[in-house]
Amino acid sequence: MDLPCPEWQDLAVKKWKSLSSAQKQAFTSSSEPSDIFSFCFSILNREDAEFLMRLSQRRPIHKDPTAARSYRQQGNACFKERRYTQAALLYSQGLCQADPGSEERALCYANRSATLLHLKHYQECLKDITRALSCGYPKNLHPKLLGRRAECLSRLEGGGGEAGTPCPSDTPGGLTHKGTTESQGLREKQGLVLLPSASPAVALQFDPSRGRHLVAVSGIAAGEAVLEEEAFACVLIPGTGAKVRLEKPNQEAGTEDWHCHRCLSKVVAPVPCQGCCYARYCGEGCQEQAWEGYHKAECPLGGELLALGVLAQLALRVALVAGLEEVLGAREQMNGRATGLRAAVVGSAGRLSCSGGIPEEAGELKGMDPLGNVGEGSQGAGASKENGDSLQEKGLLEIDKTLQSNDAPVETGAPARADPQQGGLDPGRGVAAPLVLPGCDSAGRYLGSSYRSVHHLLPHSQRHSPALRFLCGVTIATLCQRLQEEGPLPDTWGGAKSFSQSVEKGAADESSDLSQEQQNSSQSDEDRGENSGSVGQSEKEERREPSPELSMLGTAVLRHMLQLRCNAQAVTAVRDSGRGRSTVESSAQVRIATAIFPTLSLLNHSCSPNTSATFRANTVTVRASQPIGAGQELLHCYGPHRSRMPVCERRRLLEEQYFFLCQCAACYEEQGSGGKGQPAELDGVRCTRCGSPVQSVQGSQEQYCCSLGSCGLALSRLELSRKLLGIQEEIQKAVELIERDRPDRAVKGLRACEGRVKGFLSQTHPVQGEIADSLARAYAVMGQWEQAAAQLSRSVEVVRSQYGDDSVELGHQLFKLAQLHFNGRSVPQALSVIPEAQRILTLHCGPGFELVQELQEMELCLRGVLQSQRTP
């Protein structure tokens, strides 16, 4: 959940309705994060914080020794049944609930070490034994643990067990295109801005139409890594990822159980937070770094943060990791270069098709779009796309409607327009900017994954709707109020007395329309006036004003929350779904976290990109998905892809979230060949009378007809939608039967679906692929490998038709087909599929990708089988 929960959004709507017309007008005219935060903090009352605390009770984060004992007992039952994975997860749940230093914690560690021994995780087993002994494990049971330790050491000496997963920060990078110091110096002399996390074949450039963007300064081969960057900050998405059913009904382990909450690496034996039952880590190192960096402040508010959504938590974490001095330094750097930047680009900006032309904040240009005229952004969280967090669905549209009915100005900004060409620099504009670019130091070197690079990403404050600005403002103001109530801020946000003076000086330098109360926020508590902006009460309340540090923190967090709507990146991982017994479904891309990667955010969007991104824990690697020539721009897809939807739908989605009208090469081509094109749902739909394609009736968006004029078949859009929806519902029911180990009934239902789509949908229609894929899963559960492979081969061809011969989607389908042939001992068939699957996955994900490694192991095994068959 990216935005706050629906109940909190309803509160924001009620608060808005209770404001006076003058207050609404004042808020609507404010787009600076500092003004928005000050306004929203001034209208808070005690009931807001109490309401948030009540919401947090639905997501308890306090430790519960009774629950710890219950989880341990459930784990014992699983252990006796030799269900070691489930047992380990239950013991881990118990550890999270157990008090630090308690005997219950020691027992959980000891019992988990036994499961790790059976699972052959010997290194983790040894660590758990040491932890159990240090937590006061009963002395009369010490011989059992010491014997287990001896057995682990013996097996390790024999070369057994699985290798431990190192923390990503402890492992070297994987960029293959390394340049020499001499070549880097030459490129700097040529005026090129190199990036510390990118290949020397890539440079940062700027022009008014595209803003900051990345280009190839030399040829890049397909599959070559061009960027590897660790997230500045990231937040796990609870409840997603691999699911493993535990003992109780509807009890499952989700992302928070499988991954380190700091580095995102997969863990089998997590170390729990000492203060709450939610956060857990891959080891004591990450635990300590998280505590000192941000979790000390987050820990008491864990329930509130879960209620306020991933974007609010990530925004807070970015600011906490940075610290006050870094925030002040970034603002001073921005203010110091504002005049030069404005003078250098505002003239040419006015001659382009970008909207605006005035600074959104000192040093940042409204309408000057560093990412294809949207401002930096990456595919990211997709808050209003992937998770249904659209304002319309949540009811916040009422705020915008209220504004319109009161004739208040709605400053959302006109859409910017992207350059129509996908690649190749315009010699007249595509040159290095004659100034220090945002995110660079005084020598013009890009700062990489640093806070200053994050700070310079555009928040697009005035382009966000007033509804979203108000929701974010109230959310962050209430969060800061709760931080203030829970205790002192972290040392990096108020530990030094000199900080207050720096903050006051920085605040005085800003041009804002703060009220007299807000300007005097550094006064003592006794001198502060009453809360003049409390909502829903007739009497004014006494309320503490935020300290200077808290005001600066709140402004920074709000800025980042607005930034993240366009710049957050969805972190994905390939995981076993854990449901059913089918190997066909064993690998799937799941979204596990949301993160901010400042260098990745510099990539412009294209609906037909020339790069692809993969993740190893909290590190992203970007590879060229096709050859990129010198001078061509590196392009990334923010979500809407030409293989998934027509140009009209892509443009609508991009304009809604990223504030630009896409005119990439794919859109430009489709626009020239037919403008909006046919609706996506008509692709592959056939006339049930004559088999001809179905098309939309000219001049109507709701009526379809057969493309053969003499046929005369008419079909409404509603009828078609209902028919397709009905088929997909039947497919979903079949999938649920597979998960409940009823594959025979699933096959029967899917065969009925095949009959319904015969003559209605082409063989390459996506629904045909869904049916074939589900049939493959059902047959695989029954052990009928040949039938399963035949069905999956049909699905492969659908994916190939939809996404292309070199698409990562095809690579994943081919991997599953190779698995089926391998399990069915169809050696020649498996060996014929593996090379293509390996080539595609290596192209997009690199040779170290786990599925590539698995394919290599399968091939080695199969060739060994062939060799043994040939040997007399």
Side-chain angles (χ1 to χ4, degrees), residues 57-378:
Q57 292 172 5
R58 304 178 188 177
R59 304 160 177 84
I61 51 92
H62 300 293
K63 294 184 181 296
D64 182 351
T66 302
R69 189 177 308 109
S70 174
Y71 279 121
R72 178 170 58 83
Q73 291 169 351
Q74 293 177 55
N76 292 342
C78 287
F79 186 86
K80 290 177 182 177
E81 297 173 3
R82 299 185 179 182
R83 293 189 288 137
Y84 300 122
T85 298
Q86 287 90 334
L89 284 166
L90 286 161
Y91 291 140
S92 296
Q93 296 275 24
L95 281 167
C96 292
Q97 296 286 351
D99 290 324
S102 64
E103 183 177 296
E104 187 61 49
R105 177 171 283 200
L107 291 171
C108 286
Y109 272 131
N111 290 6
R112 191 173 71 179
S113 72
T115 67
L116 295 172
L117 178 63
H118 283 282
L119 292 170
K120 300 182 180 180
H121 293 293
Y122 301 131
Q123 294 285 3
E124 297 298 332
C125 177
L126 289 172
K127 293 176 184 177
D128 267 5
I129 291 171
T130 301
R131 291 161 182 156
L133 293 172
S134 66
C135 286
Y137 190 67
K139 290 187 177 180
N140 61 310
L141 299 177
H142 278 204
K144 183 192 297 185
L145 278 187
L146 296 177
R148 190 173 298 151
R149 174 185 284 172
E151 185 176 355
C152 270
L153 292 172
S154 174
R155 295 193 183 185
L156 283 172
E157 288 175 1
E162 296 183 2
T165 302
C167 179
S169 58
D170 298 332
T171 57
L175 281 180
T176 57
H177 192 145
K178 297 290 185 181
T180 63
T181 304
E182 182 180 353
S183 66
Q184 292 181 10
L186 178 62
R187 286 179 170 87
E188 288 179 358
K189 288 180 180 179
Q190 294 172 342
L192 300 172
V193 180
L194 301 183
L195 302 102
S197 55
S199 160
V202 176
L204 171 65
Q205 291 195 351
F206 175 91
D207 71 52
S209 68
R210 290 191 292 265
R212 294 185 295 171
H213 57 280
L214 303 186
V215 296
V217 295
S218 60
I220 299 173
E224 185 177 329
V226 294
L227 172 67
E228 186 171 86
E229 181 178 28
E230 183 177 338
F232 182 82
C234 55
V235 171
L236 273 173
I237 302 172
T240 61
K243 299 285 187 179
V244 172
R245 295 191 183 279
L246 301 180
E247 282 295 281
K248 295 182 178 179
N250 301 321
Q251 186 183 55
E252 294 180 326
T255 313
E256 61 273 27
D257 302 286
W258 287 103
H259 296 271
C260 173
H261 287 216
R262 177 186 169 272
C263 73
L264 305 183
S265 61
K266 189 176 180 182
V267 292
V268 295
V271 176
C273 170
Q274 300 285 59
C276 68
C277 67
Y278 179 70
R280 60 209 77 179
Y281 306 94
C282 60
E284 284 77 7
C286 268
Q287 179 195 50
E288 182 178 351
Q289 290 181 63
W291 183 259
E292 294 300 326
Y294 56 85
H295 193 61
K296 185 188 298 184
E298 292 182 356
C299 191
L301 304 177
E304 283 101 320
L305 289 169
L306 290 172
L308 294 179
V310 170
L311 292 187
Q313 184 174 3
L314 180 55
L316 174 64
R317 189 167 295 182
V318 168
L320 290 174
V321 169
L324 180 56
E325 286 186 322
E326 276 296 311
V327 171
L328 286 171
R331 296 173 70 92
E332 289 171 2
Q333 183 190 43
M334 180 179 289
N335 292 336
R337 66 161 54 100
T339 303
L341 182 62
R342 184 186 300 111
V345 299
V346 73
S348 57
R351 295 190 296 272
L352 298 172
S353 58
C354 300
S355 64
I358 59 172
E360 179 167 21
E361 192 171 7
E364 296 201 33
L365 297 178
K366 177 182 182 296
M368 298 296 300
D369 221 23
L371 266 196
N373 292 332
V374 56
E376 295 87 356
S378 53

Side-chain angles (χ1 to χ4, degrees), residues 3-77:
L3 289 177
C5 64
E7 296 88 346
W8 185 256
Q9 295 192 30
D10 291 341
L11 174 74
V13 172
K14 292 176 183 176
K15 289 186 74 67
W16 178 265
K17 289 180 177 179
S18 65
L19 297 178
S20 67
S21 297
Q23 287 176 311
K24 292 175 182 177
Q25 292 276 2
F27 177 84
T28 306
S29 63
S30 300
S31 61
E32 289 294 332
S34 56
D35 293 342
I36 296 171
F37 177 78
S38 297
F39 178 91
C40 291
F41 200 95
S42 72
I43 65 172
L44 293 183
N45 53 55
R46 182 59 198 166
E47 284 71 21
D48 300 328
E50 291 175 350
F51 180 73
L52 179 58
M53 293 170 69
R54 288 196 298 273
L55 289 178
S56 72
Q57 292 172 5
R58 304 178 188 177
R59 304 160 177 84
I61 51 92
H62 300 293
K63 294 184 181 296
D64 182 351
T66 302
R69 189 177 308 109
S70 174
Y71 279 121
R72 178 170 58 83
Q73 291 169 351
Q74 293 177 55
N76 292 342

Side-chain angles (χ1 to χ4, degrees), residues 505-812:
K505 181 180 182 299
D509 291 339
E510 293 180 347
S511 58
S512 62
D513 298 325
L514 302 180
S515 64
Q516 187 61 40
E517 283 186 347
Q518 293 160 348
Q519 290 176 350
N520 295 331
S521 61
S522 60
Q523 293 177 355
S524 62
D525 292 342
E526 311 86 66
D527 296 334
R528 292 190 173 109
E530 296 179 336
N531 175 13
S532 60
S534 62
V535 177
Q537 297 182 6
S538 57
E539 295 182 2
K540 298 179 180 179
E541 298 179 37
E542 289 270 345
R543 176 181 56 79
R544 289 184 62 194
E545 291 293 333
S547 65
E549 291 85 1
L550 190 65
S551 294
M552 182 65 78
L553 174 63
T555 298
V557 175
L558 178 57
R559 175 186 176 85
H560 297 318
M561 189 170 184
L562 294 172
Q563 279 179 333
L564 290 169
R565 290 288 292 179
C566 291
N567 292 283
Q569 173 73 38
V571 178
T572 60
V574 176
R575 289 290 173 258
D576 191 326
S577 68
R579 297 184 180 274
R581 296 181 286 110
S582 169
T583 54
V584 178
E585 60 171 349
S586 61
S587 62
Q589 286 278 357
V590 293
R591 182 183 172 207
I592 63 168
T594 298
I596 182 71
F597 298 93
T599 309
L600 178 64
S601 292
L602 297 174
L603 269 72
N604 274 340
H605 167 80
S606 171
C607 298
S608 182
N610 55 15
T611 65
S612 58
T614 55
F615 301 90
R616 181 179 58 87
N618 66 342
T619 298
V620 64
T621 300
V622 178
R623 284 183 166 79
S625 58
Q626 62 191 53
I628 303 175
Q632 282 190 301
E633 185 176 357
L634 276 64
L635 299 163
H636 178 48
C637 180
Y638 296 179
H641 195 283
R642 72 178 308 174
S643 64
R644 301 186 183 99
M645 59 188 73
V647 59
C648 55
E649 189 174 351
R650 298 199 305 268
R651 284 178 165 177
R652 178 182 61 80
L653 293 175
L654 290 165
E655 191 171 331
E656 281 180 3
Q657 182 161 351
Y658 299 104
F659 313 115
F660 72 96
L661 180 64
C662 184
Q663 291 188 359
C664 68
C667 291
Y668 196 65
E669 177 186 331
E670 291 178 44
Q671 184 183 35
S673 62
K676 295 184 177 180
Q678 291 288 342
E681 62 185 11
L682 289 184
D683 292 340
V685 177
R686 295 288 180 261
C687 174
T688 53
R689 291 182 185 173
C690 66
S692 300
V694 173
Q695 64 183 20
S696 57
V697 175
Q698 189 171 2
S700 173
Q701 295 292 325
E702 301 299 326
Q703 293 296 320
Y704 302 146
C705 66
C706 178
S707 59
L708 185 64
S710 60
C711 177
L713 176 74
L715 180 70
S716 72
R717 180 181 181 183
L718 182 60
E719 287 178 274
L720 177 60
S721 297
R722 284 176 176 172
K723 195 168 185 177
L724 290 172
L725 181 61
I727 295 169
Q728 289 174 322
E729 287 175 350
E730 291 302 314
I731 296 172
Q732 183 56 39
K733 288 178 183 178
V735 170
E736 292 170 1
L737 287 170
I738 297 170
E739 292 171 356
R740 297 202 302 267
D741 290 333
R742 299 299 305 271
D744 52 338
R745 290 182 58 187
V747 168
K748 185 177 179 180
L750 291 167
R751 289 299 187 187
C753 288
E754 279 188 317
R756 292 177 62 184
V757 303
K758 187 176 181 180
F760 166 52
L761 300 178
S762 69
Q763 290 300 311
T764 57
H765 191 282
V767 171
Q768 292 272 25
E770 291 178 37
I771 295 172
D773 194 79
S774 300
L775 277 169
R777 291 173 58 184
Y779 282 127
V781 168
M782 295 188 289
Q784 298 180 20
W785 306 111
E786 187 175 346
Q787 293 93 324
Q791 292 298 328
L792 196 61
S793 295
R794 287 177 51 209
S795 176
V796 164
E797 293 311 309
V798 174
V799 171
R800 190 189 302 274
S801 173
Q802 183 179 5
Y803 296 106
D805 291 334
D806 294 325
S807 64
V808 68
E809 292 86 356
L810 178 61
H812 283 290

